[in-house]
Amino acid sequence: MDLRRRVHEARQALDQARSEGDFYAVDVRTGELDSLLRSAMENGVDVSTAQTAAADQRGER
């Protein structure tokens, strides 16, 4: 599912921004992730870390 992929990519981008110490990017990526998670919740889509990782491994990108 596309939403799962987008959440997974947003989490990765947030982790990268944190590791690079890019505070602006952390703020931007946090907002993006919050928005995606809100959308997932409103639509009943499970985007737990295990779910998104499994979807990526199955090629649901």
Side-chain angles (χ1 to χ4, degrees), residues 3-60:
L3 187 54
R4 287 188 183 120
R5 177 189 51 80
R6 291 179 60 200
V7 167
H8 179 71
E9 290 173 356
R11 284 178 173 150
Q12 287 182 322
L14 178 57
D15 288 343
Q16 182 175 350
R18 284 180 177 152
S19 70
E20 293 172 356
D22 185 342
F23 299 112
Y24 176 74
V26 168
D27 284 343
V28 170
R29 298 304 181 185
T30 298
E32 176 185 23
L33 184 56
D34 286 346
S35 178
L36 290 168
L37 293 175
R38 187 177 318 107
S39 181
M41 183 181 67
E42 290 171 353
N43 291 288
V45 177
D46 183 5
V47 291
S48 66
T49 304
Q51 289 287 340
T52 55
D56 284 344
Q57 288 176 352
R58 289 191 304 266
E60 297 177 11

